[in-house]
Amino acid sequence: MAELETAAEHERILREIESTETACIGPTLRSVYDGEEHGHFMDKLELRIKNHDREIEKMCNFHYQGFVDSITELLKVRGEAEKLKNQSTDTNRRLQLEGAELISSMKELQQCRIQQRNIATTVDKLNMCLPVLEMYSKLHAQMKSKRHYPALKTLEQLEHSFLPQVSHYRFCQVMVDNIPKLREEIKDVSMSDLKDFLESIRKHSERIGETAMKQAQQQRTLDNILSVQGKRGLAKRPRKCPSPELNGTSPMSEQDSGILDVEDEEEEEEAPGTQDLVDFSPVYRCLHIYTVLGSRETFENYYRKQRRKQARLVLQPPSNMHETLDGYRKYFHQIIGFFVVEDHILHTTLGLVNRAYIDELWDLALSKTMAALRTHSSYCSDPNLVLDLKNLIVHFADTLQGYGFPVNQLFDMLLEIRDQYSEILLKKWALLFRNILDTDNYSPIPVTDEETYRKLVGQFPFQDSEVEKQQFPKKFPFSEFVPKVYCQIKEFIYACLKFSEDLHLSSTEVDDMIRKSTNLLLTRTLSNCLQNVIKRKNVGLTELVQIIINTTHLEVSCKYLEEFITNITGVLPDTVHTSKLYGLTTFKDARQAAEEEIYTNLNQKIDQFLQLADYDWLVSDPSTQASDYLVDLVAFLNSTFAVFTHLPGKVAQTACMSACKHLSTSLTQLLLEAEVKQITMGALQQFNQDVKECERFARSGPVPGFQGDTLQLAFIDLRQLLDLFIKWDWSTYLADYGQPTCKYLRVNPTTALILLEKIYRVMKDPSRKNNVFAQFRKNERDKQKLIETVAKQLRSLINSHHS
């Protein structure tokens, strides 16, 4: 059984050897050598080989004739093949000879193709590098020409679009290393341009402000013209300005355009706008550059910080600003220029400055400007300069209001300056009034013809039918200072009205302002001037009388001043909030002061005459005529009261009564002077003659209007005293003392006692006993006793009165 298996295995191996390729026969042979039947297998193999040889021999024998034929054919072919070989060799030789040149050309061609390929590759690489180099060259050209924002754009393209394509070249690495340096250089150069711009804008602010203010004034004038034409139905409609195109920026304000685009028959030159005066491109470039570089916040902070510093410099007024209007104008121009630039930046950039920042700067500017104006305007004493300053402030406020800045505080401050202006006007008018009063002749104004009369009536509202009926030449009752003062009051009202223009005040407020200022003019300035004139030492009675007449006419003219104010303000006097003029009080007070001064002057004149009195109090034989000084005094009083004909009746009567009372009191004091120790009855008789002269003057009626003996009552005290002593009627006096019907009711016991003691001293004087009371020699002792008794009773009356 095992032998059959081995035989089968050897058969299989043999088939496998026959069918397997020689290269793969190794494993099959290894299986033979690994077994134990190697010899047996070799026998099998030899047997198989022999079988195959017999088959081959059989096949060859079967095909031998064909083989012989083939060999014969092959021999025939060998000759042909030899020929063919020779031909081929010859052809090959010739071909080699002919092809050597071709091979050389082919080698050259090959070399050329390699070079061509290299050139093409180089060109391709250069085509890739050239744009980079061109961009880099363009970048340097832009840097050199200071086109920094385009240079930054070129740098961005170079870095992100071009360099990544050729990053493996060494020169690209150099470029990449230079890019941060170029960025910093662009930042530094753009910042330098911004600093130059800030310095330039600081210098140009004044011109910008001047231009903006002129444009605002032109616009305001144009608006006023259009409003007037609109009222007349002749207004022309302004063209509608086309909407600005939005090219990445906000539309500019109307002021920035610098053009008043209104139809008119006359063409006017266009005023330059802010952008025409200043090149803002450095700001825009620097802003874009810092935005692209991611440093926008740094740029914004720097710009705002620098502009705040410039704002503080602009808001610092020059020390001599108050001296001229140009000083204020330049100051305002700089402030306007500063804020016009900021407004332009606000509207043409996106966020470089914002409204909060502008408002902060404006609040600072407003407070600083108002403080400066308050300080410097307080130094001003010229009303014209203050008025010009007010107009300048109004234009300043209107200009900035046109740019959207709130200016209400400026107008409120103008109301403060208005009060200062009023004070300056009052000082100026005080000088005018003082000059008018000092140069006045205090005489009625004479007129010789109708033209002069009408001219004066046109200056001062005077209406008097009696004066109008008089023939020329004639006189106005008042002196020249009346129409002059009246005209100056009107001029003052006009000056107040000028200041109230353009302050956006209502008619009632303007009216109230004018009335209050006019009241101050009347009650303080004019009143003080009149009082000073009245109180002057060298003023005479004639001047005082004329002042009373003048103030009377000025008092009447107050109603015309009321009408004048009403006409220019349009506010009716019966309006609730309308103030009244206090001119009536002013002129009444002045007139009263003048009246008091007249009374005082008269009394002083009387005192001057009384100082000339030279009584001999020990005279025995009195004169039958009044003293010379008293005669002169009465003549002076008569001439003085003759001038009082134009005065109001009560004034003249009061002056006359005051003079008589003062004269009576002064004469009584002469009797009672302590220096006069003794008085004779003869002296009393002489003194009585003087008193009678005074009484005759009182009875003569120097001033009309007194009823009966009213003026004589001024001397009643002195008359009763003299009658008591001259008539020696002591019994009646003592008996009736204290009764309403007493004959000597006006005699005071103290006065009577003083005079009685002076007479008694004469009686007691040994050297004069024989002369003084010669008529009483028989009963001299009785008279002395009587005097002592009367004196004792008088002392009793005095003591009882004091108790």
Side-chain angles (χ1 to χ4, degrees):
M1 193 66 183
E3 292 178 357
L4 291 173
E5 291 178 1
T6 299
E9 179 64 22
H10 289 170
E11 187 67 24
R12 184 189 64 77
I13 291 171
L14 289 173
R15 285 198 301 270
E16 186 173 349
I17 290 172
E18 291 174 349
S19 60
T20 305
E21 294 181 0
T22 303
C24 299
I25 202 170
T28 304
L29 295 177
R30 182 176 293 278
S31 64
V32 174
Y33 286 101
D34 288 341
E36 297 177 356
E37 300 295 335
H38 180 264
H40 185 66
F41 176 75
M42 288 303 293
D43 292 338
K44 282 277 190 183
L45 181 59
E46 286 293 336
L47 182 63
R48 180 62 63 88
I49 290 172
K50 289 179 179 179
N51 290 333
H52 280 292
D53 286 340
R54 282 194 295 272
E55 289 180 0
I56 291 171
E57 185 179 354
K58 286 180 181 180
M59 186 175 293
C60 285
N61 289 332
F62 178 76
H63 295 288
Y64 177 75
Q65 187 63 40
F67 176 72
V68 174
D69 293 338
S70 294
I71 289 298
T72 303
E73 290 294 330
L74 184 62
L75 289 174
K76 293 179 180 179
V77 172
R78 185 175 62 181
E80 296 295 330
E82 190 68 24
K83 285 178 168 183
L84 182 61
K85 177 182 176 183
N86 292 332
Q87 292 176 357
S88 297
T89 301
D90 184 55
T91 301
N92 180 57
R93 182 179 54 78
R94 291 196 308 271
L95 182 62
Q96 290 298 327
L97 292 174
E98 297 292 337
E101 185 179 355
L102 179 61
I103 289 173
S104 177
S105 299
M106 289 298 294
K107 288 181 178 180
E108 292 178 1
L109 178 61
Q110 182 182 9
Q111 190 64 32
C112 288
R113 291 301 179 109
I114 292 173
Q115 292 177 353
Q116 186 180 14
R117 185 173 64 250
N118 291 340
I119 291 173
T121 303
T122 303
V123 169
D124 291 340
K125 298 301 182 182
L126 287 176
N127 287 333
M128 292 178 61
C129 295
L130 278 177
V132 178
L133 296 174
E134 289 174 355
M135 291 294 287
Y136 197 73
S137 176
K138 179 181 178 182
L139 172 63
H140 279 280
Q142 290 172 339
M143 293 284 290
K144 187 176 181 180
S145 62
K146 296 183 179 182
R147 299 173 59 213
H148 302 111
Y149 180 65
L152 189 62
K153 289 291 186 182
T154 303
L155 189 63
E156 292 295 321
Q157 293 178 1
L158 182 65
E159 181 180 18
H160 296 100
S161 301
F162 291 88
L163 286 179
Q165 299 177 8
V166 291
S167 58
H168 52 284
Y169 295 106
R170 282 181 296 174
F171 75 89
C172 292
Q173 188 60 42
V174 175
M175 293 181 181
V176 170
D177 295 339
N178 283 337
I179 284 176
K181 298 178 182 178
L182 292 172
R183 281 202 177 96
E184 288 301 320
E185 183 179 353
I186 291 173
K187 285 179 65 175
D188 295 341
V189 173
S190 61
M191 182 56 70
S192 176
D193 290 344
L194 176 67
K195 291 178 180 178
D196 293 340
F197 166 79
L198 293 176
E199 180 65 22
S200 173
I201 203 67
R202 187 179 68 82
K203 296 178 180 179
H204 286 84
S205 290
E206 183 178 340
R207 187 182 175 196
I208 294 172
E210 180 182 2
T211 302
M213 186 175 283
K214 286 182 180 179
Q215 291 177 353
Q217 292 177 1
Q218 291 173 359
Q219 183 65 46
R220 183 173 183 178
T221 303
L222 188 61
D223 291 342
N224 293 336
I225 293 174
L226 292 177
S227 63
V228 172
Q229 290 179 348
K231 292 178 181 178
R232 299 176 180 175
L234 299 175
K236 295 184 179 180
R237 296 183 180 179
R239 291 200 304 264
K240 293 184 178 179
C241 297
S243 300
E245 296 181 0
L246 300 177
N247 296 325
T249 59
S250 300
M252 294 182 292
S253 60
E254 182 182 351
Q255 287 82 356
D256 291 335
S257 66
I259 299 174
L260 300 176
D261 193 10
V262 178
E263 291 182 358
D264 198 347
E265 293 179 0
E266 298 181 359
E267 295 183 359
E268 298 181 357
E269 294 183 359
E270 295 180 355
T274 306
Q275 69 278 9
D276 299 323
L277 298 174
V278 179
D279 180 16
F280 287 91
S281 58
V283 180
Y284 303 146
R285 283 198 303 268
C286 200
L287 174 62
H288 291 314
I289 287 170
Y290 272 75
T291 302
V292 172
L293 295 177
S295 302
R296 181 186 178 99
E297 184 176 355
T298 302
F299 174 75
E300 290 179 358
N301 293 335
Y302 176 81
Y303 176 84
R304 295 182 183 183
K305 181 180 178 181
Q306 294 303 314
R307 289 297 279 169
R308 283 192 181 95
K309 289 182 180 179
Q310 290 187 350
R312 290 187 177 92
L313 291 176
V314 166
L315 295 173
Q316 187 67 31
S319 58
N320 61 343
M321 183 175 71
H322 60 277
E323 294 178 359
T324 61
L325 190 65
D326 287 338
Y328 291 102
R329 186 177 287 110
K330 291 179 180 179
Y331 181 61
F332 288 150
H333 286 168
Q334 290 180 351
I335 296 175
I336 293 174
F338 179 88
F339 282 100
V340 167
V341 169
E342 291 307 292
D343 181 76
H344 185 79
I345 293 293
L346 175 67
H347 287 88
T348 55
T349 61
L350 297 176
L352 176 56
V353 296
N354 52 31
R355 179 53 63 182
Y357 160 80
I358 296 291
D359 291 343
E360 177 190 351
L361 284 182
W362 175 241
D363 291 339
L364 172 66
L366 202 57
S367 61
K368 294 277 188 182
T369 304
M370 291 174 63
L373 288 175
R374 286 191 179 101
T375 301
H376 286 269
S377 63
S378 63
Y379 300 143
C380 184
S381 58
D382 183 4
N384 294 326
L385 181 57
V386 176
L387 185 61
D388 292 338
L389 174 60
K390 165 257 172 183
N391 293 329
L392 191 60
I393 293 175
V394 169
H395 294 154
F396 170 72
D398 288 344
T399 302
L400 288 171
Q401 190 175 31
Y403 285 89
F405 295 100
V407 294
N408 292 334
Q409 293 184 43
L410 286 174
F411 284 102
D412 294 339
M413 187 195 63
L414 280 174
L415 299 181
E416 299 176 15
I417 297 179
R418 178 194 65 186
D419 298 334
Q420 176 187 345
Y421 176 73
S422 297
E423 290 297 325
I424 296 174
L425 285 182
L426 291 175
K427 292 179 181 178
K428 178 181 178 181
W429 257 256
L431 296 176
L432 292 174
F433 287 149
R434 194 175 300 126
N435 183 56
I436 292 173
L437 296 176
D438 290 344
T439 57
D440 192 59
N441 58 9
Y442 294 95
S443 301
I445 303 175
V447 287
T448 57
D449 52 52
E450 183 71 21
E451 181 180 356
T452 306
Y453 180 83
R454 293 302 171 193
K455 181 180 179 181
L456 196 57
V457 171
Q459 294 177 354
F460 180 76
F462 175 75
Q463 296 177 354
D464 191 326
S465 57
E466 294 183 1
V467 174
E468 289 213 5
K469 292 177 182 178
Q470 295 176 6
Q471 298 294 323
F472 291 102
K474 54 187 176 181
K475 293 183 179 181
F476 285 95
F478 46 80
S479 66
E480 290 182 355
F481 96 64
V482 171
K484 289 181 178 179
V485 167
Y486 183 81
C487 291
Q488 287 300 327
I489 294 174
K490 292 174 68 175
E491 289 297 325
F492 178 86
I493 293 172
Y494 276 126
C496 293
L497 180 65
K498 286 181 181 178
F499 193 91
S500 64
E501 294 174 351
D502 302 324
L503 292 186
H504 309 300
L505 299 175
S506 64
S507 300
T508 305
E509 291 173 321
V510 173
D511 183 86
D512 183 66
M513 181 203 74
I514 293 177
R515 289 177 183 273
K516 287 181 178 179
S517 299
T518 307
N519 280 331
L520 284 176
L521 179 73
L522 295 175
T523 58
R524 193 175 74 184
T525 305
L526 181 57
S527 177
N528 289 340
C529 292
L530 289 172
Q531 294 291 341
N532 292 335
V533 171
I534 292 170
K535 299 297 182 181
R536 280 191 309 205
K537 292 182 179 180
N538 59 347
V539 65
L541 289 173
T542 305
E543 287 86 350
L544 291 172
V545 170
Q546 191 61 55
I547 289 174
I548 293 175
I549 296 171
N550 290 349
T551 52
T552 303
H553 287 280
L554 285 174
E555 180 181 347
V556 174
S557 70
C558 285
K559 64 178 182 179
Y560 298 102
L561 289 176
E562 291 267 8
E563 294 177 0
F564 177 71
I565 295 175
T566 300
N567 291 334
I568 64 175
T569 62
V571 179
L572 298 177
D574 55 353
T575 306
V576 177
H577 301 288
T578 302
S579 301
K580 301 298 181 184
L581 290 184
Y582 301 142
L584 298 177
T585 305
T586 298
F587 298 124
K588 284 181 180 178
D589 293 343
R591 188 163 59 252
Q592 184 177 358
E595 292 171 3
E596 295 293 336
E597 196 66 22
I598 286 177
Y599 307 152
T600 303
N601 279 11
L602 275 175
N603 294 340
Q604 290 176 351
K605 288 291 184 181
I606 292 173
D607 291 340
Q608 291 175 6
F609 278 101
L610 290 175
Q611 289 176 1
L612 302 176
D614 186 17
Y615 286 103
D616 183 3
W617 297 110
L618 300 178
V619 68
S620 299
D621 299 324
S623 173
T624 58
Q625 296 181 351
S627 302
D628 293 339
Y629 87 90
L630 194 66
V631 174
D632 294 339
L633 173 58
V634 170
F636 164 75
L637 292 177
N638 280 320
S639 62
T640 299
F641 290 128
V643 181
F644 287 11
T645 53
H646 294 292
L647 285 176
K650 292 183 179 180
V651 177
Q653 293 170 13
T654 304
C656 188
M657 179 60 75
S658 173
C660 291
K661 285 183 178 180
H662 182 71
L663 178 59
S664 175
T665 303
S666 298
L667 289 173
T668 303
Q669 289 176 352
L670 287 177
L671 283 176
L672 303 179
E673 278 184 352
E675 296 178 357
V676 180
K677 302 297 184 181
Q678 300 175 356
I679 297 179
T680 63
M681 291 302 295
L684 281 181
Q685 293 289 347
Q686 179 62 49
F687 193 80
N688 187 44
Q689 292 295 329
D690 292 343
V691 173
K692 287 181 179 178
E693 183 68 22
C694 294
E695 289 174 335
R696 280 194 294 272
F697 166 74
R699 285 194 300 272
S700 67
V703 174
F706 286 109
Q707 295 180 355
D709 297 333
T710 303
L711 190 58
Q712 289 180 260
L713 293 177
F715 300 97
I716 190 65
D717 295 356
L718 188 56
R719 167 50 53 204
Q720 290 184 6
L721 179 64
L722 291 175
D723 286 348
L724 175 63
F725 279 87
I726 292 174
K727 295 179 181 180
W728 207 253
D729 196 6
W730 291 106
S731 59
T732 304
Y733 175 75
L734 295 173
D736 298 340
Y737 180 78
Q739 297 180 8
T741 59
C742 178
K743 182 179 179 182
Y744 303 102
L745 182 63
R746 300 274 187 173
V747 178
N748 188 288
T750 303
T751 303
L753 179 61
I754 293 173
L755 186 58
L756 186 64
E757 287 177 346
K758 292 182 178 184
I759 295 174
Y760 183 69
R761 290 191 192 101
V762 175
M763 294 178 63
K764 296 288 289 182
D765 188 355
S767 64
R768 302 189 62 82
K769 281 184 180 179
N770 295 331
N771 297 325
V772 179
F773 288 97
Q775 67 273 28
F776 299 130
R777 289 173 184 172
K778 296 180 180 179
N779 52 0
E780 182 176 341
R781 247 177 234 277
D782 297 335
K783 291 296 180 181
Q784 289 182 1
K785 290 181 180 179
L786 176 61
I787 291 175
E788 292 174 354
T789 303
V790 171
K792 183 177 181 180
Q793 291 180 353
L794 289 174
R795 290 188 186 96
S796 177
L797 290 176
I798 294 171
N799 292 333
S800 64
H801 176 72
H802 286 307
S803 63

